[in-house]
Amino acid sequence: MSQPLDLLLRDCALPDGTRTDLGCRGGRIVVLSPAGAVGPGEDARAARVIECGGRLVTPGLVDAHIHLDKALLSSRAPSVEGSLAEAIRVTGAAKRGFTVDDIRARARAVLDLAVRSGTTAMRSHVEVDPIVGLMGLEALRPLRHEYAPALELQLCAFAQEGIVQAPGTEALLARALREGADLVGGCPYNDTDPRAHVDAIFRLAREFGVDADFHTDFFDEPEHLHVRYICEQTVRLGWEGRVAVGHLTELAALAPAEQDGVIAELRAARVGVIVLPATDLYLMGRRDERNPRRGLAPVKRLLAAGVPVAAASNNVRNAFTPVGNADLALMGVLIAVGAHMGARAELGEVLAMLTTEPARILRLEGHGLALRSRADLVVWDAASLDEAVGALAPRAYVIKSGRVTVEHRPTVAEPWRN
């Protein structure tokens, strides 16, 4: 070893059960050797050594879809009816009282929770419309720099209130992209002309050379399927691999053969799918009086076809999602149960939906556990994947670019045993 390591994780367990010594230098993984292979001399030259004792190490968690600007609103805009229409309505009303300081304070609270739980990258949608203007971007843009040592934050200028039905929004989105937004996003189901809405988002994506991210087909019945037009335009405009869609719950209501047709279009267009289990399970199936549906996109079918699929937080304690703590591991539990993915091999796929799959959708190069991968890692207080994903195991260390950013030191007192 010619140069000392910044960090050595001694005797850690990889998700496949392999025990290894993992070394980091210059923000990358540069050593992956059988446990004990890194000798004492090399050990002594490392800036820091952590004795993992067989604890699990995974890539850092990646939250591909969250709304920092409207998190933690339950006290002022609670869910009463529990419907999507209500959530849009009451959150839209609450936005009229937002301030830059208010948005930034709530966003910081969620980012702190996310970082502590092992999230090392995140994409947040930032609402841009005539109600709030660019207030959300103004509030969140400085947080990219503030949290950069612990988390990479992408900001998506997002048209929640529509474009056609909200004149001036397209110009505001363009301003947001000029002023630092990383990509552009839309919500065609919440506009009077969904195709024109999609066209506007692609027009901006092409003008500014950025990715596009859509909330789409968020209903129980397949009455919209805007995803087909999104896929068509993705291919026509040469934007393959640069488009994501969130929710996509309508896909699960199609017959299997019809699902396969749409999935083939997603795969051909290289469109990533982001499932939002806490929100989708909460809001879908509300009118089903008998045998209520789960309301999740068909995760297994998508994965089997080779479509990139991530699971993400979406909202944290507001009318869309009244529960949550920004811990992506909770989304893993919901997917394992809600999508019937609790078998051992499937838990590996669930972990990928929280780590490497969202990194692929966000186009984060080198996110994984191979040599030369980014040294963005989580050391779990668990010995196996089953325990980490299945039992919401605590995190012991969080590592960003080869440096420890969070170190948990839990203490528990049990006076009843005395």
Side-chain angles (χ1 to χ4, degrees):
M1 195 180 299
S2 58
Q3 296 179 316
L5 297 170
D6 298 324
L7 177 67
L8 174 63
L9 302 180
R10 184 179 285 286
D11 188 22
C12 54
L14 301 182
D16 65 3
T18 304
R19 300 283 279 267
T20 188
D21 293 340
L22 188 155
C24 309
R25 185 191 306 118
R28 297 279 169 172
I29 297 171
V30 296
V31 174
L32 277 174
S33 303
V38 177
E42 295 165 333
D43 185 326
R45 297 176 66 216
R48 181 166 185 186
V49 178
I50 294 176
E51 298 290 344
C52 293
R55 284 185 288 196
L56 180 73
V57 172
T58 70
L61 305 178
V62 178
D63 202 332
H65 183 129
I66 196 168
H67 294 263
L68 292 174
D69 55 346
K70 58 188 185 190
L72 307 179
L73 290 177
S74 290
S75 61
R76 66 180 94 165
S79 172
V80 177
E81 302 166 11
S83 69
L84 174 61
E86 177 204 38
I88 292 172
R89 184 178 70 251
V90 301
T91 305
K95 284 199 302 188
R96 299 181 185 280
F98 285 2
T99 66
V100 169
D101 289 343
D102 165 50
I103 294 170
R104 191 174 292 154
R106 288 183 288 103
R108 270 204 189 101
V110 174
L111 284 166
D112 287 343
L113 290 169
V115 167
R116 290 168 193 156
S117 69
T119 296
T120 59
M122 174 185 285
R123 174 180 288 177
S124 177
H125 294 265
V126 185
E127 299 200 6
V128 173
D129 54 56
I131 301 173
V132 292
L134 300 187
M135 188 187 300
L137 183 65
E138 182 184 349
L140 298 184
R141 190 172 49 209
L143 300 184
R144 279 191 306 208
H145 176 73
E146 180 179 331
Y147 282 83
L151 175 144
E152 181 174 340
L153 179 61
Q154 294 183 1
L155 298 177
C156 176
F158 173 56
Q160 169 73 74
E161 307 296 337
I163 295 174
V164 178
Q165 69 183 12
T169 297
E170 186 171 354
L172 283 169
L173 291 168
R175 260 188 67 196
L177 290 164
R178 283 193 291 271
E179 295 183 19
D182 299 293
L183 69 156
V184 64
C187 187
Y189 64 76
N190 193 37
D191 210 340
T192 51
D193 188 337
R195 288 197 170 202
H197 184 111
V198 171
D199 291 341
I201 296 300
F202 274 117
R203 188 160 52 244
L204 289 163
R206 295 181 74 206
E207 179 182 350
F208 289 91
V210 297
D211 292 2
D213 193 328
F214 295 91
H215 294 49
T216 193
D217 303 329
F218 189 25
F219 295 91
D220 288 324
E221 300 298 337
E223 298 170 348
H224 305 87
L225 294 178
H226 299 141
V227 69
R228 306 196 81 156
Y229 185 67
I230 292 169
C231 288
E232 175 189 312
Q233 295 306 302
T234 298
V235 173
R236 186 180 74 82
L237 300 170
W239 234 243
E240 295 97 325
R242 304 192 64 177
V243 176
V245 294
H247 297 296
L248 198 59
T249 55
E250 290 185 18
L251 183 58
L254 292 173
E258 293 175 282
Q259 287 185 27
D260 290 343
V262 176
I263 290 170
E265 294 173 28
L266 286 161
R267 180 177 177 177
R270 289 167 35 218
V271 170
V273 174
I274 305 173
V275 180
L276 308 166
T279 305
D280 299 346
L281 288 166
Y282 177 67
L283 289 177
M284 294 296 97
R286 286 276 174 166
R287 297 179 182 177
D288 296 341
E289 295 182 358
R290 185 167 173 270
N291 194 21
R293 72 196 85 194
R294 293 168 186 246
L296 292 176
V299 174
K300 286 185 174 182
R301 217 173 186 92
L302 288 159
L303 289 172
V307 175
V309 184
S313 296
N314 193 34
N315 288 288
V316 179
R317 302 207 297 274
N318 63 16
F320 293 90
T321 316
V323 299
N325 58 2
D327 184 353
L328 266 183
L330 175 59
M331 300 305 111
V333 168
L334 293 177
I335 287 292
V337 175
H340 295 155
M341 294 182 67
R344 178 162 293 180
E346 293 169 335
L347 288 176
E349 293 182 300
V350 172
L351 175 66
M353 291 174 64
L354 309 177
T355 56
T356 52
E357 289 288 294
R360 184 177 162 197
I361 293 171
L362 270 56
R363 300 203 295 146
L364 303 177
E365 172 270 330
H367 192 81
L369 292 174
L371 283 172
R372 302 306 307 167
S373 293
R374 297 172 177 226
D376 294 354
L377 306 164
V378 179
V379 181
W380 300 71
D381 196 5
S384 68
L385 182 62
D386 295 9
E387 189 180 350
V389 177
L392 281 172
R395 277 34 39 113
Y397 299 90
V398 183
I399 296 154
K400 178 67 177 172
S401 299
R403 310 243 176 218
V404 174
T405 52
V406 177
E407 184 171 349
H408 290 274
R409 297 173 180 171
T411 58
V412 178
E414 295 183 294
W416 70 273
R417 293 185 182 276
N418 298 333

